[in-house]
């Protein structure tokens, strides 16, 4: 592999992990063409070039520094060439801060009617109109260059670990590695970073070899894919304990795709991950579940209809500054659209504030205290987490 252009990304580890090995957690500063992202960081998901129910001012207010948009969805509708002609994704959606686009691999493989997958491409039917499409690594990169996000991701073939044999995992891994090379060859845009993806299911030896191979390639960052699905937290931790030590001396940011509950992210930060994304906080918000310290409130429960207090005392969000639990409970019962906006603002504020506390603890040297204190956090919403498996998931059609 010949050397690529100078990276449009700069990643500095501001607080490295302690030498005693008690944690691999680290704090960093990720400079991208549209701004700086402090890590560890959570990325809200804007599937259709919008984080559902929020506008860019809301995103600023909840503390979003970078968002994710879905290549598959924007390719199908409104079309990447249309977005390019309209000035690119940043201008199209009115968001002037960093954006990451995924490769489309996850949606193509898991959410569409997949016709066939071979070494050349994945052929699938659109979830919108049944039209037939053929996605190659080259097309994924071409679409992502047209969208113009700060970070693009190599096209991959994820597999659901529990529904796949070792042979299937190994075949998908071989394909993902070949597609990584083709993605690198195809990528031309000098103002866009490109991340590679480590797959390999739950098999330690496959994960290790995938890590070695992706690490050897000139990507600007490293994604860890195929997790945040149906695996247990212990299985996820075991995979991270294989992958991250092999990246210990590597200067690039590490991004675990699809994880979004605070407790899960805390554990992954502890094991050395820098970036996350998920639809989870926003999706559960739209279902009436509000995250608060120590648990969650279901606004559809009768107990809230007379409750004059805020959802969370002291929360700086648009909901808690001004409105009561009773009002939000009423909005959900009445099916009012404002409920979705207010609840989403709260859960994203909660999630991003939590990541801010993680960064502060890293800077102060008190991160392990925070880990021990994590009983105060909402438990991972297992049923919902499975439903949104992969985070990037979801045709997001409600
Ligand atoms: Zn709030």
């Amino acid at each position: 592999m010949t050397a690529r252009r100078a990276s449009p990304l700069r990643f500095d580890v501001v607080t490295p992990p302690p030498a005693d090995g008690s944690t691999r957690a680290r704090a960093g500063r990720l400079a991208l063409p549209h701004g700086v992202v402090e890590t560890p960081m959570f990325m809200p998901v804007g599937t259709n070039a919008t984080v559902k129910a929020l506008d860019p001012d809301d995103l600023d207010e909840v503390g979003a520094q970078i968002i994710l948009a879905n290549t598959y969805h924007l390719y199908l509708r409104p079309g990447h060439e249309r977005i390019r002609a309209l000035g690119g994704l940043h201008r199209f959606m009115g968001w002037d801060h960093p954006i990451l686009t995924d490769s489309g691999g996850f949606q193509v493989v898991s959410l569409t009617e997949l016709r066939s997958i071979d070494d050349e491409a994945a052929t699938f039917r659109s979830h919108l109109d049944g039209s037939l499409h053929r996605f190659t690594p080259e097309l994924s990169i071409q679409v992502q260059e047209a969208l113009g996000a700060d970070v693009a991701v190599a096209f991959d073939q994820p597999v659901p670990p529990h529904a796949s044999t070792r042979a299937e995992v190994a075949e998908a891994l071989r394909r993902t590695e070949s597609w990584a090379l083709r993605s690198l060859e195809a990528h031309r845009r000098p103002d866009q970073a490109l991340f590679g993806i480590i797959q390999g299911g739950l098999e330690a030896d496959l994960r290790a070899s995938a890590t070695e191979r992706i690490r050897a390639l000139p990507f600007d960052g490293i994604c860890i894919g195929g997790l945040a699905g149906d695996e247990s937290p212990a299985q996820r931790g075991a995979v991270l304990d294989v992958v991250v030590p092999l990246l210990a001396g590597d200067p690039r940011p590490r991004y675990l795709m699809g994880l979004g509950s605070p407790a899960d992210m805390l554990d992954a930060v502890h094991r050395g991950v820098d970036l996350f994304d998920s639809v989870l906080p926003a999706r559960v918000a739209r279902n009436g579940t509000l995250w608060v310290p120590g648990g969650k409130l279901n606004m559809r429960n009768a107990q809230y209809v007379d409750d004059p207090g805020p959802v969370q005392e002291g929360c700086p969000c648009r909901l808690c500054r001004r409105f009561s639990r009773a009002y939000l409970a009423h909005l959900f019962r009445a099916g009012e659209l404002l409920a979705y906006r207010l609840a989403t603002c709260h859960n994203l504020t909660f999630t991003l504030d939590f990541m801010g506390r993680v960064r502060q603890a890293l800077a102060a040297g008190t991160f392990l205290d925070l880990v021990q204190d994590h009983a105060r956090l909402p438990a991972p919403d297992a049923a919902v987490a499975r439903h949104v498996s992969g985070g990037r998931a979801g045709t997001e059609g409600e």
Side-chain angles (χ1 to χ4, degrees):
M1 180 65 47
T2 52
R4 297 176 68 227
R5 79 286 182 270
S7 177
L9 162 162
R10 185 187 161 98
F11 182 63
D12 295 302
V13 175
V14 178
T15 308
D20 64 9
S22 56
T23 180
R24 290 191 295 268
R26 58 189 193 171
R29 185 180 184 280
L30 175 62
L32 293 165
H34 286 82
V36 171
V37 175
E38 302 162 279
T39 66
M41 179 53 73
F42 170 79
M43 300 183 277
V45 177
T47 300
N48 287 310
T50 168
V51 175
K52 289 189 186 305
L54 304 195
D55 77 3
D57 291 339
D58 291 332
L59 285 173
D60 268 332
E61 198 179 270
V62 302
Q65 295 182 2
I66 177 170
I67 64 164
L68 180 148
N70 286 118
T71 293
Y72 164 81
H73 291 86
L74 296 174
Y75 158 80
L76 288 178
R77 182 179 59 194
H80 56 290
E81 290 299 349
R82 176 169 288 131
I83 290 177
R84 189 210 305 264
L86 291 165
L89 185 56
H90 288 89
R91 179 179 297 178
F92 184 59
M93 66 180 292
W95 171 253
D96 198 28
H97 303 297
I99 303 175
L100 179 148
T101 44
D102 64 4
S103 69
F106 182 84
Q107 283 80 11
V108 165
V109 169
S110 63
L111 300 172
T112 65
E113 189 195 339
L114 189 64
R115 306 300 291 181
S116 68
I117 191 156
D118 53 52
D119 287 349
E120 179 59 25
T123 306
F124 62 94
R125 285 203 184 278
S126 158
H127 75 283
L128 295 175
D129 61 7
S131 56
L132 200 59
H133 299 266
R134 190 167 164 76
F135 238 62
T136 60
E138 290 77 14
L139 178 59
S140 172
I141 295 299
Q142 188 185 324
V143 172
Q144 293 184 78
E145 289 193 353
L147 297 174
D150 299 70
V151 180
V153 170
F155 193 57
D156 65 328
Q157 183 191 345
V159 291
H162 284 120
S164 311
T165 64
R166 181 181 165 88
E168 288 166 338
V169 173
E171 188 192 19
L173 183 56
R174 180 186 57 75
R175 200 167 274 142
T176 292
E177 289 169 359
S178 143
W179 289 358
L181 290 168
R182 285 168 59 188
S183 297
L184 277 166
E185 287 293 330
H187 192 252
R188 292 283 176 275
R189 196 166 166 152
D191 60 347
Q192 181 177 64
L194 181 63
F195 284 16
I197 304 187
I198 295 168
Q199 290 287 351
L202 301 175
E203 317 266 343
D205 59 325
L206 296 181
R207 279 285 175 180
S209 70
T211 305
E212 301 283 7
R213 285 174 196 269
I214 296 299
R215 186 184 65 179
L217 298 175
F219 287 112
D220 302 302
I222 306 288
C223 307
I224 304 166
L227 296 176
D230 57 3
E231 81 281 0
S232 69
Q235 289 173 317
R236 186 187 317 126
V239 168
L240 291 177
D241 289 347
V242 169
V243 170
V244 178
L246 292 171
L247 299 172
D250 194 283
R252 293 171 287 189
R254 308 162 190 155
Y255 160 31
L256 201 173
M257 310 177 95
L259 209 60
S261 95
D264 286 348
M265 290 193 288
L266 182 64
D267 183 67
V269 167
H270 190 26
R271 295 173 199 269
V273 176
D274 304 305
L275 289 167
F276 305 93
D277 79 282
S278 174
V279 299
L280 184 67
R283 178 167 287 176
V284 301
R286 296 195 303 276
N287 289 329
T289 299
L290 282 284
W291 287 350
V292 293
K296 56 194 175 187
L297 312 179
N298 183 345
M299 282 297 124
R300 298 192 181 276
N301 288 350
Q303 69 192 96
Y304 300 117
V305 298
D306 294 305
D307 189 335
V311 161
Q312 181 186 335
E313 199 69 55
C315 172
C317 89
R318 176 173 295 280
L319 168 66
C320 298
R321 282 202 312 267
R322 190 161 187 173
F323 303 107
S324 63
R325 293 174 176 182
Y327 183 62
L328 185 63
H330 159 69
L331 293 178
F332 271 112
R333 278 172 172 67
E336 283 293 338
L337 299 181
L338 184 58
Y340 304 122
R341 180 186 180 204
L342 295 177
T344 303
C345 281
H346 174 80
N347 274 6
L348 288 180
T349 298
F350 182 88
T351 304
L352 289 161
D353 275 5
F354 175 74
M355 297 311 279
R357 291 217 313 281
V358 168
R359 293 191 299 274
Q360 283 167 7
L362 286 167
T366 57
F367 177 74
L368 288 172
D369 299 337
L370 189 63
V371 171
Q372 278 154 18
D373 199 31
H374 82 285
R376 283 169 44 78
L377 301 171
D381 203 325
V384 178
R386 266 195 297 281
H387 181 60
V388 298
S389 158
R392 298 176 289 155
T395 54
E396 282 270 277
E398 316 312 283

